[in-house]
Every structure is written in C-alpha cells, then in structure tokens.
Amino acid sequence: MDIFPQHKQNRYWADMTRTVSKGEPPAEIRKIYEIVKRAQDAGIKALRPGVTGREVHELVEDIIWQAGYDTLRPGQKKDPSDPTPRGFIHGTGHGVGLEIHEAPGVTRSGVKPLVVGDVVTIEPGIYDPVIGGVRLEDMLVITEGGARNFTLAPRELTV
C-alpha cells in the first residue's frame, strides 16, 4: 500500500508505504520483510543535520547487499550478466513538501547535507520478479537531534 495524500488547503503532501500479507506469507517474503525493516530502521537512525542523502542511501544498500540481495550500486549485483532488475532497485528516499517527490534526495545523487526542517522519506525495498517484493516507507522531519517520524502506522507484515 503506497498512500500519498495531499492536504486540500495547504497543498502539502504526505507519503507512506506498507507491505502486508493476508495470512501467513512465504518464508522468503518474511525474510525479506525483516531485512527491509532492519534497513529502514538503520536509515532512520542515521538521519540528522549534516548527513547527506547519499550516506544514508549507501548505508541502506550495504545492509541489503550484506543480506544477500542485489542493489544498484556498481559491484553489488550477484550476476552482472542478468539484465533483470532485482533486489533494491530504487533510492532510499526523497524530500516531501509541495511536491510528492522533491529535494533533498536520499539517493546516490543526494550530496547536499540535510538540514533541520527537511522532510524526507526512508523507503527501502527488496524485489524479486518470481516471488514479489517488500517496501516500507516512513516520512520524517530532520530535527536538531536526529529525526522525528511522522508515520504512525504499524509495521506488521501479516494481517
């Protein structure tokens, strides 16, 4: 579920994604879910003024790669001859405001340091064309001491 409402009066956006399974999912999906959750937690914990989106993105990529899944970083594809996109195939996050996707980027190109008041998402995902995928997305504001999470929805795979 990717939910991205826009306020009718002030025109600001929000953004949140949850992957859920009706009933018990396959073991591989549960494994992927736990890795994505761990990567999201690490990305959220890394948010603070002065860190770049690239630093957060590469931290998330490293967690996913070390867990055995491809990323888009050069050298982080198990089979370079396979053209099928799989693993972590997008950026870790993006700014949210008057546009649903805006600066600052929490991606490889996000080289500008984050500042207090920036609103960003952290949304790692792992995708497999055979079994499916998992993404978790929260929206946070950068504070003097780190980041405050605006997303109140629980992270529960099985419903």
Side-chain angles (χ1 to χ4, degrees), residues 3 29 31 42 48 60 63 65 77 93 100 105 120 123 129 144:
I3 301 167
I29 291 293
K31 175 185 170 191
R48 67 185 181 283
V60 168
I63 290 167
W65 172 250
K77 186 164 179 68
I100 187 64
V120 298
E123 55 179 293
E144 300 239 349

Side-chain angles (χ1 to χ4, degrees), residues 28-156:
E28 184 66 15
I29 291 293
R30 183 160 293 287
K31 175 185 170 191
I32 290 171
Y33 188 90
E34 292 305 319
I35 295 164
V36 168
K37 189 174 174 184
R38 187 169 17 130
Q40 187 192 38
D41 287 343
I44 289 170
K45 186 176 179 182
L47 291 175
R48 67 185 181 283
V51 71
T52 66
R54 181 181 188 141
E55 290 170 317
V56 176
H57 177 69
E58 289 182 346
L59 169 72
V60 168
E61 279 182 319
D62 287 344
I63 290 167
I64 292 170
W65 172 250
Q66 289 165 5
Y69 296 90
D70 292 353
T71 80
L72 294 179
R73 188 186 303 177
Q76 289 189 347
K77 186 164 179 68
K78 286 183 257 172
D79 181 0
S81 66
D82 179 3
T84 306
R86 65 181 77 242
F88 183 34
I89 57 173
H90 54 76
T92 296
H94 55 86
V96 179
L98 292 172
E99 299 292 333
I100 187 64
H101 295 108
E102 63 180 37
V106 186
T107 63
R108 190 163 330 288
S109 63
V111 295
K112 185 177 174 187
L114 299 175
V115 299
V116 171
D118 281 342
V119 175
V120 298
T121 64
I122 297 295
E123 55 179 293
I126 297 174
Y127 312 92
D128 182 301
V130 176
I131 65 168
V134 171
R135 181 187 305 193
L136 294 169
E137 177 182 26
D138 285 8
M139 191 173 85
L140 306 97
V141 61
I142 305 301
T143 64
E144 300 239 349
R148 183 167 55 95
N149 198 331
F150 288 137
T151 308
L152 301 177
R155 295 182 303 176
E156 296 174 8

